Amino acid sequence: TENGAEITLVAKWIPITYNVEFDSCGGAEVETITDIEYGTKQYTGTTTRNWYKFDGWYLDKEYSGEKIEEFTNLTSTNGDTVTLYAKWVPVKYKLMYVVDSETVLEIEYDITDTYYYQPEVPARKGYVGSWDMSGMPFANDQADNPGDRTVEPKYIAIVYKINFYVSGEVFKTLTYTVETAGNADKPG
């Protein structure tokens, strides 16, 4: 009181607000949430990344502590910005090596693998064989997600040449493969 007059003071409270940024660590971008009032519950949501499964948001890049799916009060400092980091787990897929409808080998991989074992291609008389790896997605941007893949051998017929000589000079050359052997011209 002053000179017998009573004074009433009223406190004016300004809420603490902060921002949350999302570092998607290679995934699809997520917009920053701004001006979150201290005490307000928020949900983090998810993001996507080809060939990976989203495994949550964390307060550090080492993914220590608990996964953050919802939060209230990540900081008590007014105007602060907190960054959450996306954790990713590579999606597993199988390569199945198949010969004549029979699986000869099945191996599990994920996108972090840099070497793909290839078993020996079964021999086929008159042919050179290799595994047909065409269309195999080995990089993040080649497919949305891996799935199990079937790999089959491709065979290319060996080309044989027979030269016929007359008086030391090539008279005629026959070219054939195991596919055309019955149709080869006879020297004449």
Side-chain angles (χ1 to χ4, degrees):
T1 65
E2 187 175 307
N3 296 333
E6 202 170 291
I7 299 174
T8 303
L9 299 176
V10 178
K12 180 179 178 184
W13 295 98
I14 299 172
I16 293 173
T17 62
Y18 63 97
N19 307 311
V20 175
E21 288 183 345
F22 297 91
D23 183 340
S24 61
C25 301
E29 286 188 30
V30 177
E31 283 190 40
T32 298
I33 303 174
T34 58
D35 298 322
I36 302 167
E37 282 192 22
Y38 190 80
T40 304
K41 183 183 274 189
Q42 295 285 318
Y43 298 91
T44 56
T46 63
T47 183
T48 59
R49 181 178 177 189
N50 290 346
W51 293 71
Y52 288 85
K53 178 181 171 272
F54 178 70
D55 195 33
W57 296 104
Y58 291 82
L59 284 169
D60 59 47
K61 285 187 174 184
E62 288 75 39
Y63 314 113
S64 61
E66 291 184 32
K67 183 187 310 187
I68 297 174
E69 294 175 359
E70 62 181 53
F71 59 88
T72 307
N73 309 336
L74 287 178
T75 181
S76 60
T77 304
N78 193 38
D80 201 5
T81 298
V82 176
T83 302
L84 297 180
Y85 299 91
K87 181 178 180 184
W88 299 102
V89 176
V91 174
K92 301 280 185 192
Y93 65 98
K94 294 177 189 167
L95 288 186
M96 295 168 286
Y97 294 90
V98 176
V99 177
D100 298 325
S101 301
E102 185 177 324
T103 301
V104 295
L105 182 65
E106 191 174 287
I107 303 174
E108 187 172 86
Y109 294 101
D110 67 45
I111 193 62
T112 63
D113 293 314
T114 57
Y115 173 76
Y116 295 87
Y117 173 77
Q118 293 183 29
E120 187 174 321
V121 177
R124 188 171 281 177
K125 189 174 182 174
Y127 293 88
V128 173
S130 64
W131 292 106
D132 185 0
M133 302 300 273
S134 62
M136 293 302 300
F138 294 125
N140 286 357
D141 60 352
Q142 291 180 306
D144 288 341
N145 280 302
D148 294 346
R149 302 281 197 250
T150 299
V151 182
E152 298 183 83
K154 63 179 175 182
Y155 292 96
I156 299 171
I158 298 170
V159 176
Y160 298 92
K161 290 185 178 185
I162 300 174
N163 291 325
F164 295 92
Y165 292 88
V166 174
S167 301
E169 302 221 0
V170 175
F171 167 70
K172 184 169 188 165
T173 299
L174 295 179
T175 302
Y176 72 94
T177 67
V178 292
E179 296 167 350
T180 62
N183 300 325
D185 293 335
K186 307 263 188 262

